[in-house]
Amino acid sequence: FQAALGRFPESYFATDMRLTLGVHYFDQGELDRAKQAFADLSEAELSRDHRLMVRFYLANTYYSLREFSDARSSFEQLLRDYPQAPALPDILFGLAESHYQQAEFESAIDFYERILAQHPDDPTADRSQYNTAWCLIELERVEESMVALRALLERYPSSEFAASAQFTLADYAYNRQSYEEAKQGYRRVQQRYPDDPVAAQVPRLIAEIEEAV
């Protein structure tokens, strides 16, 4: 594409080629090149759909570069300009994650909860539920965070985060010296998620509990 763009910079297909090149850079982890490609494209005359795609990739590139303030601003602008976009759950999730990375936990929760309320079956929903719990922990609202983790297990029992959620609930019981509840929680991890890495810690923890009581 670079060679073709060099020879035919004003080609009818130039925008598509530049966009494809930017996506290639992003997918290959060449983030600085992707950022430049999408930034350049954002200044060009684009169709509405092309502009959405360019700005969405640019926002995600900022996030991947850990330029969280720019990522948040970009996702906010996308939300204002494309409130009905098919990618709306991803835009909301990008906003939530950008707030989270800047320790703006209340704002992050607002966007995670919006995903859960409006898009409960989206692929980002279970992670939104899990991350809500960790925002609440950061805010020292621990009881609420445990409620959020239980909601994850109820709503998304097959989530990749389910094992960690169950393990954290058991840890919480252990730290409160609710040993029987903790043992039951750890055993659920073993029974339901035997292949998850956290399951390997269960025998040691149950042995510690049995020694303590």
Side-chain angles (χ1 to χ4, degrees), residues 1 3 50 62 70 76 91 94 104 120 127 130 148 155-156 169 173 181 187 197 205:
F1 285 126
H50 271 143
Y62 285 137
D70 287 334
E76 285 173 342
I91 293 170
E104 298 165 352
R127 185 162 192 151
Y130 185 69
R155 297 175 185 173
Y156 307 105
L169 286 164
E181 181 183 345
R187 283 177 177 144
L205 291 165

Side-chain angles (χ1 to χ4, degrees), residues 112-113 116-117 120 125-133 136 142-159 161-162 164-166 169 192-193:
Y112 290 135
E113 289 186 339
L116 292 166
D126 63 330
R127 185 162 192 151
S128 296
Q129 183 71 57
Y130 185 69
N131 288 0
T132 294
L136 290 165
V142 180
E143 289 287 348
E144 292 175 72
S145 75
M146 296 302 111
V147 172
L149 290 175
R150 291 187 191 98
L152 170 70
L153 294 173
E154 181 180 341
R155 297 175 185 173
Y156 307 105
S158 300
S159 167
F161 307 105
S164 292
Q166 180 62 69
L169 286 164
R192 298 177 184 177
Y193 319 104

Side-chain angles (χ1 to χ4, degrees), residues 2-51:
Q2 284 177 317
L5 284 168
R7 292 179 61 194
F8 308 107
E10 304 303 323
S11 163
Y12 177 80
F13 299 105
T15 296
D16 286 331
M17 286 190 287
R18 289 191 178 95
L19 181 52
T20 300
L21 195 58
V23 172
H24 171 76
Y25 290 147
F26 182 86
D27 290 343
Q28 295 299 310
E30 297 181 58
L31 297 175
D32 288 319
R33 298 180 79 178
K35 176 181 169 180
Q36 187 62 58
F38 294 129
D40 289 345
L41 269 169
S42 68
E43 301 297 323
E45 289 189 17
L46 301 170
S47 69
R48 182 173 173 80
D49 287 345
H50 271 143
R51 186 164 298 281

